[in-house]
Every structure is written in structure tokens, then in C-alpha cells.
Amino acid sequence: MADSDSDEDLKRAIQLSMQSIEPQVEASGVQVQCNNIINLDSDDESTTDESEIRGPDKDLPEPEAVSIAVSTGMLGLDRKAMEQERLARKRKASISPPPPRKVARHNDSTSKVSTSDSAAENVLPNKQSTSHARPSLNYPSSLPFPNGTVKKTWLFGYPRQGEDMKIEEILQKNDLALAVLSSFQWDVEWLLRKLNTKTTQLVFVMQADTADTKAQYRQETASMPNLRLCFPSMEGQINCMHSKLMLLSYPSHLRIVVPTANLVPYDWGETGVMENMVFLIDLARLPTPQPMSRQKMTDFGDDLIYFLQAMGLDQSIIDSLYHFDFSATRDLAFVHTIGGAHTGDDEPWRRTGYCGLGRAISRLGLRSNDQQALGINYVTSSIGSLNLEFLSTLYLAASGDDGTKEYERGNVTLNKKAKDYSTQMKRKTDAQEKLRKEIDEGFRIYFPSQDTVEASKGGPGCGGTICFQRKWWESSTFPRQLMRD
């Protein structure tokens, strides 16, 4: 997409856009505590010697403050206040301990899924917890989003018309047993107010590219026994961990959430100037204790698991996914990007990035033939050094190409001594011109102009996530004719 200088410019632009919400302060040392391994198919707590995992709405709340006190650490956590709350909970528990937690489990699935006990599952034995009570769930026969849906994120100050969701409505914290949350930007103190940290096991998947950063994050969260951290690999060519994903486990079902929003109040509409999108689907728990056979898992589930393994999430959590009914995802695809270079005999490059997009479209039966021109509307808030070559890879992927056609287009050399060399060259040239014409006519890139930003509710002061540079626009290879406001 861009040369090394352009990549560095884009990286600096992203860093500048984050300065207003990322505090640069030094945290005090805290001893790291060992964390417990947990899994999605149980809300019970279990222990291990591992200290880290590898690798509804009444009134419109006022927007919460984005600023963070100077006394907080890199994650925005007020450790003094957290310790005072922990000691207060401990004193309260010593006076009047709550009754044992009992969770009623229900079979809300209407689909029949074959199960097998032959698949090995790395889960720890259940252990009855007596520390906190959790209300039983009584969901209707159908789950809230059994077939998946796309919603807008709620926006403060605007009327609600049933098309948006607040983060509180997505998390449903009173019933939430386990949450695996992945994001690029974080306001941890804000996020923890949206969760019940006493009864919910938490896994935060965060970017940390140095050992010092990892240690800092562990120190700042060491006093939270229900929270553990997962750090995906940042080695080699990986410069950014930009994944946004939620796995939310409840006694009756699993909710999979793919948002465009980071875990900051700004992105979830609490300042009234930013709107995002979110996909979510609810998958019922299987009626039997045996996990689903791995051979019965859908393509969506397989690709989700493949991504989680590359992320470095603990295997016991991944194995727990086989305790949920994925049949509603048969006509869906989970498309991801895993950083780094992908090679090998099993062709892992086909499973991720734009190759994974093409593979998914083809497997869903949506592949277009050479006679079908596509119409692509691409909405973005960050643009780098775009050129026709990069747009061609996206266009071919959207047509269902898994990377094979794109590779041949750029790497197959014609034999000049062949008798039909001129015919082959003409065919190749015609194909390139046809592709260029289809992109010019059908590819539209939507990015806000300066006038649009200035006329917006937040104005230029709230345009920190809109990243672009003049030198890229003025480049002779930039596709200016495709840009739309």
C-alpha cells in the first residue's frame, strides 16, 4: 500500500491522533499477582500457576469525561482508588458474606447440532464459587440476535430509533460471566465502569511491543484478580495490533461482537460527535455437556478460532467455543487480518488479509465471473499512499479471488520466444485495461473533506482520527478520481 516512508508517516499520524487520550505518565511499582485460567463454557473460577494468558437503558447518561488524572498510569487506572474499593469489599465480605452463586442454564437453541465427546478439551474442572451471587437468566425462546445483525453505536444528544446500541446494552454486565475484549485504543478506567469486575472474568487483548510496556500493564492491573492480559505477537513486520473484537459469555449463550469502535468513550458516542458500527450475533449454549465435534464447526467458527490462536489467546478459552451452537453462522464469514508474513505448505496466506476476504466470498458462493463488474463503496477515516495496484488487490478479492489471480497478474513472466507471445501480451494488456476501467467506474472511496469536517458537530477539534496527508493526495499515482466526500 505504501513505501516505508509512507508507513512511518501514517504511524506518526496515528500516534498524534492518540495523544489527547493517552496519558504519558509513570506508574508506581506493584507486585504482579498470578491470574487464573478461565474458559467460555463456564462462569466458575478455576486456578492455575500461569500469571498471564499468552501470546438495559433508562435515561441517556451524560457523556463521561475523557481526561485522565495525572496520578493514573498508562492504562488510565487510578490504582489508589481501586485498592480502597478492594479493601472495602474485603471488609464487607468479612461481615456478611453473600450466598453461593447459582446459575441456571437454559437450552435456547432451536437448531440441532451433532455433538461428539471425542474432541479433547483443555478446560479446568468446575469449582463452586461462594464469593458472589449472580442472578439467573430467563431468556425467551429466541435469543436477542440469533441470526446476527449490524447496528450503529448510540450517539449522545440524538433521538433513538431502534437502530443503535450502547456499549452497556451490548455488554449486559449483570449477566456477563466472561469477556474477552480486544482493541487498539483503550480507556480502561471508563471501561471498567461498564463492567461488574467482581463477578465477571476479564481478558484484555492489548498491543504491547516491548517487554517494558508489558510489565507496566501487568503492574497496573495486578490488583485485579479477575483480569488477565493477552499480548499478541509484535515481532517481525507487525507494527500495529488493531483488532477490535468481543467474546461475551453468558450462562445461556455466547455473544460475538465485531465493532469498528475502540474501547474509548469517544468512539461509543458518549461525547456526541462520533458514530461507529457494530456486528453482533448470539449463539446458544449446547444442550449437552459434550463439546461439538471439530468436524462440525462452521467456516465462520474455524476462521474465528484460527484468528484467536494467532492472537495468542489461551487454548482453554478457544476450546470452550465448541460448547456453543454455531449453526447460525453457516452463511456468514469471519474475515480477519493477522500481521506478519504468511508462508508454508498449508498456504496460511489464503486464510487472512485480502486473500482471506476473497476466499470467504468464494466459499459463500458470491464469487463474480470475469463478465461481472463490481460496485464497491469503501468508507474510511484513514488513508495512506493509495495506488491502483493496491486497489486492484482489493477489487479482485471482492470478486472472490483468494490471491491466486492477483499473484499471477504481477508475477507471471511471458516467454518472448513463444510463438504466441504477441497474443499473450495483448491478452494480458487487455485484462489490465479492463480491470482499470472497472475500478474507475465502480470503486468509490468515501472520505470527509475539510469543509465536511468544519461543518460537523465537533468541528476540526474532533477530527483527530481523520488521517491523511497532502503529499499522498498530490502523488501522481493517487486515485483522486475515486474519492467522494
Side-chain angles (χ1 to χ4, degrees), residues 36-39 48 50 52-55 122-124 180 203 228-230 308-309 311-320:
N36 301 334
I37 294 296
I38 51 180
N39 54 78
T48 185
E50 294 291 332
E52 171 197 344
I53 288 185
R54 290 184 29 152
N122 179 27
V123 295
L124 298 176
V180 178
V203 180
R228 55 212 46 89
L229 305 177
C230 173
L308 297 177
Q309 289 173 334
M311 180 183 284
L313 195 64
D314 188 84
Q315 190 62 40
S316 66
I317 297 180
I318 296 175
D319 288 341
S320 299

Side-chain angles (χ1 to χ4, degrees), residues 400-411:
D401 176 44
D402 64 358
T404 303
K405 182 183 294 186
E406 190 274 334
Y407 176 81
E408 293 175 348
R409 184 176 62 88
N411 294 277

Side-chain angles (χ1 to χ4, degrees), residues 305-414:
I305 290 171
Y306 184 81
F307 178 70
L308 297 177
Q309 289 173 334
M311 180 183 284
L313 195 64
D314 188 84
Q315 190 62 40
S316 66
I317 297 180
I318 296 175
D319 288 341
S320 299
L321 293 174
Y322 291 96
H323 287 269
F324 298 92
D325 181 0
F326 274 77
S327 61
T329 68
R330 294 196 182 281
D331 295 327
L332 301 174
F334 186 86
V335 181
H336 51 73
T337 295
I338 300 172
H342 304 279
T343 59
D345 295 336
D346 58 345
E347 298 180 335
W349 52 270
R350 294 181 186 270
R351 302 197 63 171
T352 195
Y354 68 83
C355 297
L357 171 61
R359 172 175 171 265
I361 289 174
S362 181
R363 293 171 77 170
L364 290 172
L366 301 174
R367 185 184 182 97
S368 60
N369 57 47
D370 292 338
Q371 308 304 318
Q372 292 176 300
L374 295 180
I376 300 177
N377 295 287
Y378 200 99
V379 183
T380 182
S381 62
S382 299
I383 294 182
S385 183
L386 285 181
N387 54 45
L388 180 62
E389 200 63 29
F390 178 76
L391 294 178
S392 296
T393 63
L394 286 181
Y395 186 89
L396 290 173
S399 302
D401 176 44
D402 64 358
T404 303
K405 182 183 294 186
E406 190 274 334
Y407 176 81
E408 293 175 348
R409 184 176 62 88
N411 294 277
V412 174
T413 302
L414 301 180

